[in-house]
Amino acid sequence: MGELEDAVMTRVWKWNRPVTVREVLEDLQQERSIAYTTVMTVLDNLHQKGWVRREAEGRAYRYEAVSTRAAYAAALMNDAWSQSDNPAAALVAFFGMMSEEQRHALRDAVRIVQGPEEAQQVDSGSENPGSAPEGDGR
């Protein structure tokens, strides 16, 4: 997504309701000089790419997001990760760039996806808490 597309989508996501070209235009004009037809073209492009759906209202359209900003961010991360020739190394490097707050958010996300019991096992570093790992002679 380009810079202008991102600026438009940011508003669509933030407002979380169907929006008109005019509404987006007026908000964008607080930051930059931009033409109605430019915003209309950007929203049409976002519609063609599947990021927004639109519904006719008179001679214009109302646009709304098809998915959330979080889903978009996840798709970007997945795309970048899948292009790596060494996904494990890419994850280690990515995790190394994270702030403490981001690492806490990651742990929370793992707990949500895996469920509390599985996440506890991952946190403790063993599949079966209290049991010995296979092949250690016990």
Side-chain angles (χ1 to χ4, degrees), residues 37-56:
T37 53
T38 302
V39 177
M40 184 175 61
T41 299
V42 169
L43 280 162
D44 185 60
N45 290 343
L46 289 166
H47 176 256
Q48 289 178 23
K49 291 178 179 182
W51 285 106
V52 295
R53 68 176 65 87
R54 67 185 180 192
E55 188 173 316

Side-chain angles (χ1 to χ4, degrees), residues 1 9 12-13 16 51 65-75:
M1 188 177 302
M9 281 305 301
V12 174
W13 282 317
N16 196 29
W51 285 106
V66 170
S67 65
T68 64
R69 183 169 198 107
Y72 173 67

